[in-house]
Amino acid sequence: MRIYLPATWPMLARTVKTGNFEPLGGTAFALTPKLRESYTAGDDEELEYAAMNEAARASLRLLSVEFGLGEDDTPARRVVVSADTDDVTLRPDLDDGAVRVTGPVPVSKIAAVHVDLPEAEHAVREAAGAIDKADLGDMDAEFLVGEAEDHELAWYDGTELPFLVELG
């Protein structure tokens, strides 16, 4: 199963050092039966994209915590790690596309890494500061999150992870 793991730049750096991606709380997103049911139309590729976008929004939540802890040197970029594994369980109690990953994900299972380009950093920083309010229905905060989501994530092959972190 292809899963989408929300991440931050420091999490990528730890992955390169340890050889494993450690998903926070074991949370990931995937094309689950419940996600498929929640859309009236769309092929698998479009629904996979929806799952990846959920992971990108979760990345904003991770960034919000890091910025709140004073981690100002963390790049304000959403990060999503795509991996292929069957060691997951469905989490319909969390979200339509939420799954729980059992343990760390080895680098060998990482198919791709999706990250914001530098020009998205201002919008991402603003969105990370507003994500909690957006989750609670604040329309102004949702607008800020939408501004970040208007930026497409760049795609890197999983084998490029060490070079990506080095350049970051």
Side-chain angles (χ1 to χ4, degrees):
M1 170 183 274
R2 173 66 50 98
I3 61 171
Y4 301 92
L5 300 144
T8 63
W9 208 266
M11 292 171 77
L12 289 183
R14 281 191 297 278
T15 300
V16 170
K17 285 182 185 175
T18 66
N20 289 302
F21 180 85
E22 298 278 348
L24 189 62
T27 301
F29 298 85
L31 175 49
T32 64
K34 191 170 179 183
L35 180 66
R36 187 179 302 281
E37 287 175 14
S38 69
Y39 283 84
T40 57
D43 61 16
D44 283 357
E45 186 175 327
E46 291 169 316
L47 296 174
E48 291 274 350
Y49 186 73
M52 185 183 77
N53 282 335
E54 286 300 316
R57 188 170 271 233
S59 176
L60 285 174
R61 292 181 188 97
L62 295 175
L63 286 169
S64 174
V65 171
E66 286 191 9
F67 296 154
L69 296 173
E71 299 293 332
D72 292 331
D73 58 337
T74 297
R77 299 189 201 177
R78 295 169 298 156
V79 177
V80 176
V81 174
S82 300
D84 295 312
T85 183
D86 291 324
D87 296 332
V88 300
T89 55
L90 300 179
R91 288 297 312 264
D93 57 314
L94 292 180
D95 189 84
D96 291 344
V99 295
R100 170 89 29 159
V101 179
T102 306
V105 177
V107 170
S108 62
K109 292 189 176 195
I110 294 176
V113 179
H114 311 270
V115 298
D116 276 308
L117 296 175
E119 55 264 20
E121 286 191 10
H122 176 74
V124 169
R125 186 171 294 279
E126 294 291 313
I131 189 68
D132 289 339
K133 288 181 180 179
D135 286 344
L136 295 173
D138 183 302
M139 295 307 291
D140 292 332
E142 185 62 41
F143 176 79
L144 292 174
V145 171
E147 289 286 311
E149 290 175 339
D150 284 344
H151 292 271
E152 289 291 325
L153 298 175
W155 179 91
Y156 297 89
D157 187 84
T159 60
E160 296 176 298
L161 180 59
F163 306 109
L164 178 62
V165 169
E166 186 178 314
L167 291 174

